[in-house]
Amino acid sequence: MSNKNIPWKNGIKDGIPIALGYFAVSFTFGIVAKKAGLTPFQAVFMSGANLTSAGQFGALALIGTSATYLEMALTQLVINLRYCLMSCSLSQKFEAGAGWPHRFPVAFGVTDEIFGVSVCKKGKLNPFYNYGLMSVSIPGWMLGTFCGAVSGGLLPARIISALSVALYGMFIAVIVPPAKGNKLLTGIIGSSMLLSLLFAQLPILSEISQGFKIIILTVLIAGMAALLFPVKEEAAHER
């Protein structure tokens, strides 16, 4: 068996749990996309081209408000900027023979889960391992989107409304566990909620479009947190 097939198959095996989780979350996205007026093809195409739940749900919010292309582009840039850092970090873990023809496709498929699984692998990383992760996780995300978009037109309204709540459950599951025992993170989350409320209710701030609200709040909160509470370097890196 070639050196390409072994890491690729290992990636498929490790990517199955990711695909199952993606199916559940993207099913909700498909329902919301259907309610926003997208066809199943459009929803699946978005899932295949974007590969980020935060970016996709943010895009649906902007589509619903008829946001401009500039707002859409800037919002996606801000929301997905972390993937640039993940890709740069991941590229340092690749084997010496993994050149640019491999780095670009792998960077396209970087998500929080794929990055987390990849960096936890011991030793150098073969890009075909990431191809294996992508070959099951991305179809899982797209299949969930398709099933959600199709079900959105078949299931009763009460069930659709109930399933739509899963989106908020996903966000709660993302922010609550890390916030336990971390006063700084809890404070940042609370500040984000408060500022979002102010931007929605105050007369002048409420007139700002949805896209620029996301951009302003993300840059403002993340920037202030990084400035006031910088992450301390690990003792292992100290001389």
Side-chain angles (χ1 to χ4, degrees):
M1 184 179 292
S2 66
N3 292 331
K4 298 179 181 179
N5 290 335
I6 295 177
W8 181 69
K9 290 184 177 181
N10 289 335
I12 292 177
K13 181 180 67 175
D14 293 344
I16 291 176
I18 298 177
L20 295 176
Y22 279 179
F23 181 90
V25 176
S26 61
F27 188 91
T28 303
F29 169 77
I31 293 176
V32 177
K34 179 67 176 181
K35 293 174 64 176
L38 272 66
T39 65
F41 172 79
Q42 291 170 334
V44 173
F45 184 82
M46 181 185 290
S47 288
N50 203 333
L51 302 180
T52 161
S53 59
Q56 289 181 224
F57 282 110
L60 289 181
L62 296 180
I63 291 173
T65 59
S66 300
T68 64
Y69 290 124
L70 178 61
E71 287 181 63
M72 182 72 75
L74 290 176
T75 301
Q76 293 300 314
L77 175 63
V78 172
I79 292 177
N80 299 325
L81 191 60
R82 67 187 188 279
Y83 294 124
C84 294
L85 302 177
M86 292 181 186
S87 298
C88 292
S89 175
L90 196 59
S91 67
Q92 305 303 310
K93 190 176 175 62
F94 282 151
E95 297 176 348
W100 292 109
H102 289 296
R103 294 173 187 264
F104 280 114
V106 169
F108 169 77
V110 169
T111 64
D112 300 277
E113 294 75 17
I114 290 178
F115 173 77
V117 172
S118 299
V119 296
C120 288
K121 294 292 289 185
K122 295 182 179 180
K124 290 294 183 178
L125 195 65
N126 189 309
F128 281 88
Y129 175 79
N130 283 75
Y131 294 153
L133 291 173
M134 295 163 57
S135 64
V136 289
S137 59
I138 294 177
W141 183 261
M142 297 174 67
L143 179 61
T145 300
F146 175 78
C147 292
V150 172
S151 299
L154 300 177
L155 297 176
R158 290 184 178 181
I159 296 180
I160 296 300
S161 178
L163 290 173
S164 299
V165 179
L167 168 63
Y168 304 100
M170 178 194 71
F171 288 136
I172 292 174
V174 169
I175 64 176
V176 170
K180 290 183 177 180
N182 190 325
K183 294 182 179 180
L184 174 58
L185 187 56
T186 302
I188 293 174
I189 294 173
S191 300
S192 302
M193 297 172 65
L194 177 61
L195 288 175
S196 297
L197 177 62
L198 293 177
F199 269 68
Q201 298 297 327
L202 294 181
I204 299 178
L205 298 179
S206 61
E207 297 178 1
I208 302 175
S209 63
Q210 183 69 23
F212 283 108
K213 283 181 183 178
I214 296 175
I215 295 170
I216 294 172
L217 288 172
T218 302
V219 174
L220 177 63
I221 297 171
M224 291 299 296
L227 179 63
L228 298 177
F229 307 100
V231 177
K232 297 180 180 180
E233 295 184 4
E234 297 291 339
H237 295 287
E238 297 177 356
R239 294 186 178 180

Coordinates of all heavy atoms in Angstrom, one line a residue, residues 99-172:
G99 N 4.2 20.5 -0.8 CA 4.4 21.8 -1.3 C 3.1 22.6 -1.5 O 2.1 22.2 -1.0
W100 N 3.2 23.7 -2.2 CA 2.0 24.6 -2.4 C 0.8 23.8 -3.1 O -0.3 24.1 -2.7 CB 2.4 25.8 -3.3 CG 3.3 26.7 -2.5 CD1 4.6 26.9 -2.8 CD2 3.0 27.5 -1.4 NE1 5.2 27.8 -1.9 CE2 4.2 28.2 -1.0 CE3 1.8 27.8 -0.7 CZ2 4.2 29.1 0.0 CZ3 1.9 28.6 0.4 CH2 3.1 29.3 0.7
P101 N 1.0 22.9 -4.0 CA -0.1 22.2 -4.6 C -1.0 21.5 -3.6 O -2.2 21.2 -3.8 CB 0.5 21.3 -5.6 CG 1.8 21.9 -6.0 CD 2.3 22.6 -4.7
H102 N -0.4 21.1 -2.5 CA -1.1 20.5 -1.4 C -1.6 21.5 -0.4 O -2.7 21.3 0.2 CB -0.3 19.4 -0.7 CG 0.0 18.2 -1.5 ND1 -1.0 17.3 -1.9 CD2 1.2 17.7 -2.0 CE1 -0.4 16.4 -2.6 NE2 0.9 16.6 -2.7
R103 N -0.9 22.5 -0.1 CA -1.2 23.4 1.0 C -2.5 24.2 0.7 O -3.3 24.4 1.6 CB -0.1 24.4 1.2 CG 1.2 23.7 1.8 CD 2.4 24.6 1.8 NE 3.6 23.9 2.2 CZ 4.1 23.8 3.4 NH1 3.4 24.4 4.4 NH2 5.2 23.2 3.7
F104 N -2.7 24.6 -0.6 CA -3.9 25.3 -0.9 C -5.2 24.5 -0.8 O -6.1 25.0 -0.2 CB -3.8 25.9 -2.3 CG -2.9 27.2 -2.4 CD1 -1.7 27.2 -3.1 CD2 -3.4 28.3 -1.8 CE1 -1.0 28.3 -3.2 CE2 -2.6 29.5 -1.9 CZ -1.4 29.5 -2.6
P105 N -5.3 23.3 -1.3 CA -6.5 22.5 -1.1 C -6.7 22.2 0.4 O -7.9 22.2 0.8 CB -6.2 21.2 -1.9 CG -5.2 21.6 -2.9 CD -4.3 22.6 -2.2
V106 N -5.7 21.9 1.1 CA -5.8 21.6 2.5 C -6.4 22.9 3.3 O -7.2 22.8 4.1 CB -4.5 21.1 3.2 CG1 -4.6 21.1 4.7 CG2 -4.2 19.8 2.6
A107 N -5.8 24.0 2.9 CA -6.3 25.3 3.5 C -7.8 25.5 3.3 O -8.5 26.1 4.1 CB -5.5 26.5 3.0
F108 N -8.2 25.2 2.1 CA -9.6 25.3 1.8 C -10.5 24.5 2.7 O -11.6 25.0 3.1 CB -9.9 24.9 0.3 CG -11.4 24.8 0.0 CD1 -12.1 26.0 -0.2 CD2 -12.0 23.6 -0.1 CE1 -13.5 25.9 -0.5 CE2 -13.4 23.5 -0.4 CZ -14.1 24.6 -0.6
G109 N -10.1 23.3 3.1 CA -10.9 22.5 3.9 C -10.6 22.6 5.4 O -11.1 21.8 6.2
V110 N -9.9 23.6 5.8 CA -9.7 23.8 7.3 C -10.9 24.3 8.0 O -11.5 25.4 7.6 CB -8.5 24.8 7.5 CG1 -8.4 25.2 9.0 CG2 -7.2 24.2 7.1
T111 N -11.4 23.6 8.9 CA -12.4 24.1 9.8 C -11.9 23.9 11.3 O -10.8 23.4 11.5 CB -13.7 23.2 9.6 OG1 -13.4 21.9 10.0 CG2 -14.2 23.3 8.2
D112 N -12.7 24.3 12.2 CA -12.3 24.2 13.6 C -12.0 22.8 14.0 O -11.0 22.4 14.7 CB -13.3 24.8 14.6 CG -13.6 26.3 14.3 OD1 -12.8 27.1 14.8 OD2 -14.5 26.6 13.6
E113 N -12.9 21.9 13.6 CA -12.8 20.5 14.0 C -11.7 19.8 13.2 O -10.9 19.0 13.8 CB -14.1 19.7 13.7 CG -15.3 20.2 14.5 CD -15.8 21.5 14.1 OE1 -15.6 22.0 13.0 OE2 -16.6 22.2 14.9
I114 N -11.5 20.0 11.9 CA -10.5 19.4 11.1 C -9.1 19.9 11.6 O -8.1 19.2 11.7 CB -10.7 19.7 9.6 CG1 -11.9 19.0 9.1 CG2 -9.4 19.4 8.8 CD1 -12.2 19.2 7.6
F115 N -9.0 21.2 11.9 CA -7.8 21.7 12.5 C -7.4 21.1 13.8 O -6.3 20.7 14.0 CB -7.9 23.2 12.7 CG -6.7 23.9 13.3 CD1 -5.5 24.1 12.7 CD2 -6.8 24.2 14.7 CE1 -4.4 24.7 13.3 CE2 -5.7 24.8 15.3 CZ -4.5 25.0 14.7
G116 N -8.4 20.9 14.7 CA -8.2 20.4 16.0 C -7.7 18.9 15.9 O -6.7 18.5 16.6
V117 N -8.3 18.1 15.0 CA -7.9 16.7 14.8 C -6.5 16.7 14.2 O -5.7 15.8 14.6 CB -8.9 16.0 14.0 CG1 -8.4 14.6 13.6 CG2 -10.2 15.9 14.7
S118 N -6.2 17.6 13.3 CA -4.9 17.5 12.5 C -3.8 17.9 13.4 O -2.7 17.2 13.4 CB -5.0 18.5 11.3 OG -6.0 18.1 10.4
V119 N -3.9 18.9 14.2 CA -2.8 19.3 15.1 C -2.5 18.4 16.2 O -1.4 18.4 16.8 CB -3.0 20.8 15.6 CG1 -3.1 21.8 14.5 CG2 -4.3 20.8 16.5
C120 N -3.5 17.5 16.5 CA -3.3 16.6 17.6 C -2.6 15.3 17.2 O -2.2 14.5 18.0 CB -4.6 16.2 18.2 SG -5.4 17.5 19.2
K121 N -2.4 15.2 15.9 CA -1.7 14.0 15.3 C -0.2 14.2 15.7 O 0.4 15.2 15.5 CB -1.8 13.9 13.8 CG -3.2 13.6 13.4 CD -3.7 12.2 13.8 CE -3.0 11.1 13.0 NZ -3.5 9.8 13.3
K122 N 0.4 13.1 16.2 CA 1.8 13.1 16.5 C 2.7 13.1 15.3 O 2.4 12.5 14.3 CB 2.2 11.9 17.4 CG 1.4 11.9 18.8 CD 1.9 10.7 19.6 CE 1.2 10.8 21.0 NZ 1.6 9.6 21.8
G123 N 3.8 13.8 15.4 CA 4.8 13.9 14.3 C 4.3 14.7 13.1 O 3.4 15.5 13.3
K124 N 5.0 14.6 12.0 CA 4.7 15.4 10.8 C 3.4 14.9 10.2 O 3.0 13.8 10.4 CB 5.8 15.4 9.8 CG 7.1 16.1 10.3 CD 6.8 17.6 10.4 CE 8.0 18.4 10.7 NZ 7.8 19.9 10.8
L125 N 2.8 15.8 9.5 CA 1.4 15.5 8.9 C 1.5 15.3 7.4 O 2.1 16.2 6.7 CB 0.5 16.7 9.2 CG -1.0 16.4 9.1 CD1 -1.5 15.3 10.0 CD2 -1.8 17.7 9.3
N126 N 1.0 14.2 6.9 CA 0.8 14.0 5.5 C -0.4 14.7 5.0 O -1.5 14.5 5.6 CB 0.8 12.5 5.2 CG 0.9 12.1 3.7 OD1 0.2 12.7 2.9 ND2 1.8 11.2 3.4
P127 N -0.4 15.5 3.9 CA -1.6 16.2 3.4 C -2.7 15.2 3.1 O -3.9 15.6 3.1 CB -1.1 17.0 2.2 CG 0.2 16.3 1.8 CD 0.8 15.8 3.1
F128 N -2.4 14.0 2.7 CA -3.4 13.1 2.3 C -4.3 12.7 3.6 O -5.4 12.2 3.4 CB -2.9 11.8 1.7 CG -2.5 12.1 0.2 CD1 -1.3 12.6 -0.1 CD2 -3.4 11.8 -0.8 CE1 -1.0 12.8 -1.5 CE2 -3.1 12.1 -2.1 CZ -1.9 12.6 -2.4
Y129 N -3.7 12.8 4.8 CA -4.5 12.6 5.9 C -5.7 13.7 6.0 O -6.8 13.4 6.3 CB -3.7 12.7 7.2 CG -4.4 12.7 8.5 CD1 -4.9 11.4 9.0 CD2 -4.7 13.8 9.2 CE1 -5.6 11.4 10.2 CE2 -5.5 13.7 10.4 CZ -5.9 12.5 10.9 OH -6.6 12.4 12.0
N130 N -5.3 14.9 5.7 CA -6.3 16.0 5.6 C -7.3 15.7 4.5 O -8.5 16.0 4.7 CB -5.7 17.3 5.5 CG -5.1 17.8 6.8 OD1 -4.0 17.4 7.2 ND2 -5.7 18.8 7.4
Y131 N -6.8 15.2 3.4 CA -7.8 14.9 2.3 C -8.8 13.9 2.8 O -9.9 13.9 2.4 CB -7.0 14.4 1.1 CG -6.1 15.4 0.4 CD1 -5.0 15.0 -0.3 CD2 -6.4 16.8 0.5 CE1 -4.1 16.0 -0.9 CE2 -5.6 17.7 -0.1 CZ -4.4 17.3 -0.8 OH -3.6 18.2 -1.4
G132 N -8.3 12.9 3.6 CA -9.2 11.9 4.1 C -10.3 12.5 5.0 O -11.5 12.2 4.9
L133 N -9.8 13.4 5.9 CA -10.8 14.1 6.8 C -11.8 14.9 5.9 O -13.0 14.9 6.2 CB -10.0 15.1 7.7 CG -9.1 14.5 8.8 CD1 -8.3 15.7 9.4 CD2 -9.9 13.8 9.8
M134 N -11.3 15.6 4.9 CA -12.2 16.4 4.1 C -13.2 15.6 3.3 O -14.3 16.0 3.0 CB -11.4 17.3 3.2 CG -10.5 18.3 3.9 SD -9.2 19.0 2.9 CE -10.1 19.7 1.5
S135 N -12.7 14.4 2.8 CA -13.5 13.6 1.9 C -14.8 13.0 2.6 O -15.7 12.6 1.9 CB -12.7 12.4 1.3 OG -12.3 11.6 2.4
V136 N -14.8 13.0 3.9 CA -16.0 12.6 4.6 C -16.7 13.7 5.3 O -18.0 13.7 5.4 CB -15.7 11.4 5.6 CG1 -15.4 10.2 4.9 CG2 -14.7 11.8 6.6
S137 N -16.0 14.7 5.9 CA -16.6 15.7 6.7 C -17.4 16.7 5.8 O -18.5 17.1 6.1 CB -15.6 16.5 7.5 OG -14.5 17.0 6.7
I138 N -16.8 17.1 4.6 CA -17.4 18.0 3.7 C -18.7 17.4 3.1 O -19.7 18.1 3.1 CB -16.4 18.5 2.6 CG1 -15.3 19.3 3.2 CG2 -17.2 19.3 1.6 CD1 -14.3 19.7 2.2
P139 N -18.7 16.2 2.6 CA -19.9 15.6 2.2 C -21.0 15.5 3.3 O -22.2 15.6 3.0 CB -19.5 14.2 1.6 CG -18.1 14.4 1.2 CD -17.5 15.3 2.2
G140 N -20.5 15.2 4.5 CA -21.5 15.2 5.6 C -22.1 16.5 5.9 O -23.4 16.6 6.1
W141 N -21.4 17.6 5.7 CA -21.9 18.9 5.9 C -22.9 19.2 4.8 O -24.0 19.8 5.0 CB -20.8 19.9 5.9 CG -21.3 21.4 6.1 CD1 -21.4 22.3 5.2 CD2 -21.6 22.0 7.4 NE1 -21.8 23.5 5.8 CE2 -21.9 23.3 7.1 CE3 -21.6 21.5 8.7 CZ2 -22.3 24.2 8.1 CZ3 -22.0 22.4 9.7 CH2 -22.3 23.7 9.4
M142 N -22.5 18.9 3.6 CA -23.4 19.2 2.4 C -24.7 18.3 2.4 O -25.8 18.8 2.1 CB -22.6 19.0 1.1 CG -21.4 19.9 0.9 SD -20.4 19.5 -0.5 CE -21.5 19.9 -1.8
L143 N -24.5 17.0 2.8 CA -25.7 16.1 2.9 C -26.7 16.6 3.9 O -27.9 16.6 3.7 CB -25.2 14.7 3.2 CG -26.3 13.6 3.3 CD1 -27.1 13.5 1.9 CD2 -25.7 12.3 3.7
G144 N -26.2 17.0 5.1 CA -27.1 17.6 6.1 C -27.8 18.8 5.6 O -29.0 19.0 5.9
T145 N -27.1 19.6 4.9 CA -27.7 20.8 4.3 C -28.9 20.5 3.4 O -30.0 21.0 3.4 CB -26.7 21.7 3.6 OG1 -25.7 22.1 4.6 CG2 -27.3 23.0 3.0
F146 N -28.6 19.5 2.5 CA -29.6 19.1 1.5 C -30.8 18.5 2.2 O -31.9 18.8 1.9 CB -29.0 18.0 0.6 CG -29.9 17.4 -0.4 CD1 -30.4 18.2 -1.5 CD2 -30.5 16.2 -0.2 CE1 -31.3 17.6 -2.4 CE2 -31.4 15.6 -1.0 CZ -31.8 16.3 -2.1
C147 N -30.6 17.6 3.2 CA -31.7 17.0 3.9 C -32.5 18.0 4.6 O -33.8 18.0 4.7 CB -31.2 15.9 4.9 SG -30.5 14.5 4.1
G148 N -31.9 19.0 5.2 CA -32.6 20.1 5.9 C -33.4 21.0 5.0 O -34.5 21.3 5.3
A149 N -32.8 21.3 3.9 CA -33.5 22.2 2.9 C -34.7 21.4 2.3 O -35.7 22.1 2.1 CB -32.5 22.6 1.8
V150 N -34.5 20.2 2.0 CA -35.7 19.4 1.5 C -36.7 19.2 2.5 O -37.9 19.3 2.2 CB -35.2 18.0 0.9 CG1 -36.4 17.2 0.5 CG2 -34.2 18.3 -0.3
S151 N -36.3 18.9 3.7 CA -37.3 18.6 4.8 C -38.0 19.9 5.2 O -39.2 19.9 5.6 CB -36.6 18.1 6.1 OG -35.9 16.9 5.8
G152 N -37.4 21.1 4.9 CA -38.0 22.3 5.2 C -39.3 22.5 4.4 O -40.2 23.3 4.8
G153 N -39.4 21.9 3.3 CA -40.6 22.0 2.5 C -41.6 20.8 2.7 O -42.7 20.8 2.1
L154 N -41.2 19.9 3.5 CA -42.1 18.7 3.7 C -42.6 18.5 5.1 O -43.8 18.1 5.3 CB -41.3 17.4 3.3 CG -40.7 17.3 1.9 CD1 -39.9 16.1 1.7 CD2 -41.9 17.3 0.8
L155 N -41.8 18.9 6.1 CA -42.2 18.7 7.5 C -43.2 19.7 7.9 O -43.3 20.8 7.4 CB -41.0 18.7 8.4 CG -39.9 17.6 8.2 CD1 -38.7 17.9 9.1 CD2 -40.5 16.3 8.4
P156 N -44.1 19.4 8.9 CA -45.0 20.4 9.4 C -44.3 21.6 10.0 O -43.2 21.5 10.4 CB -45.8 19.6 10.5 CG -45.6 18.1 10.1 CD -44.2 18.1 9.5
A157 N -45.1 22.7 10.0 CA -44.5 23.9 10.5 C -44.0 23.9 11.9 O -43.0 24.5 12.3 CB -45.5 25.1 10.3
R158 N -44.7 23.1 12.8 CA -44.3 23.0 14.2 C -43.0 22.3 14.3 O -42.1 22.7 15.1 CB -45.4 22.3 15.0 CG -46.7 23.1 15.1 CD -47.7 22.3 16.0 NE -48.9 23.1 16.2 CZ -49.9 22.7 17.0 NH1 -49.8 21.5 17.6 NH2 -51.0 23.5 17.1
I159 N -42.8 21.3 13.6 CA -41.5 20.5 13.6 C -40.4 21.4 13.1 O -39.3 21.4 13.7 CB -41.6 19.2 12.9 CG1 -42.7 18.3 13.5 CG2 -40.3 18.5 12.8 CD1 -42.9 17.0 12.8
I160 N -40.6 22.1 12.0 CA -39.6 23.0 11.5 C -39.2 24.1 12.5 O -38.0 24.4 12.7 CB -40.1 23.7 10.2 CG1 -40.4 22.6 9.1 CG2 -39.1 24.7 9.7 CD1 -39.2 21.8 8.7
S161 N -40.2 24.6 13.2 CA -39.9 25.6 14.2 C -39.1 25.0 15.3 O -38.2 25.7 15.8 CB -41.2 26.2 14.7 OG -41.0 27.2 15.7
A162 N -39.4 23.8 15.7 CA -38.7 23.2 16.8 C -37.3 22.9 16.4 O -36.3 23.1 17.2 CB -39.4 21.9 17.2
L163 N -37.1 22.4 15.2 CA -35.7 22.1 14.7 C -34.9 23.3 14.6 O -33.6 23.3 14.7 CB -35.8 21.3 13.4 CG -36.3 19.9 13.5 CD1 -36.5 19.3 12.1 CD2 -35.4 19.0 14.3
S164 N -35.5 24.4 14.3 CA -34.7 25.7 14.1 C -34.1 26.1 15.4 O -33.1 26.8 15.4 CB -35.7 26.8 13.6 OG -36.2 26.4 12.3
V165 N -34.7 25.7 16.5 CA -34.1 26.0 17.8 C -32.7 25.4 18.0 O -31.9 25.8 18.9 CB -35.1 25.7 19.0 CG1 -34.5 26.0 20.3 CG2 -36.4 26.4 18.8
A166 N -32.5 24.3 17.3 CA -31.2 23.6 17.4 C -30.0 24.5 17.1 O -28.9 24.3 17.7 CB -31.2 22.4 16.5
L167 N -30.2 25.5 16.3 CA -29.2 26.5 16.0 C -28.7 27.1 17.3 O -27.5 27.2 17.6 CB -29.7 27.5 15.0 CG -28.8 28.7 14.8 CD1 -27.4 28.3 14.3 CD2 -29.4 29.7 13.9
Y168 N -29.6 27.6 18.1 CA -29.3 28.3 19.4 C -28.7 27.3 20.4 O -27.8 27.6 21.2 CB -30.5 29.0 20.0 CG -31.2 29.9 19.0 CD1 -32.3 29.5 18.3 CD2 -30.6 31.2 18.8 CE1 -32.9 30.4 17.3 CE2 -31.2 32.1 17.9 CZ -32.3 31.7 17.2 OH -32.9 32.5 16.3
G169 N -29.1 26.1 20.3 CA -28.5 25.0 21.2 C -27.1 24.8 20.8 O -26.2 24.6 21.7
M170 N -26.8 24.8 19.5 CA -25.4 24.7 19.0 C -24.5 25.8 19.6 O -23.4 25.5 20.1 CB -25.4 24.6 17.5 CG -24.0 24.5 16.9 SD -23.9 24.9 15.1 CE -24.1 26.7 15.2
F171 N -25.0 27.0 19.5 CA -24.2 28.1 20.0 C -24.0 28.1 21.5 O -22.9 28.4 22.0 CB -24.9 29.5 19.6 CG -24.8 29.8 18.1 CD1 -25.9 30.3 17.5 CD2 -23.6 29.6 17.4 CE1 -25.8 30.6 16.1 CE2 -23.6 29.9 16.1 CZ -24.7 30.4 15.4
I172 N -25.0 27.6 22.2 CA -24.9 27.5 23.7 C -23.8 26.4 24.0 O -23.0 26.6 24.9 CB -26.2 27.2 24.3 CG1 -27.2 28.4 24.2 CG2 -26.1 26.8 25.8 CD1 -28.6 28.1 24.7

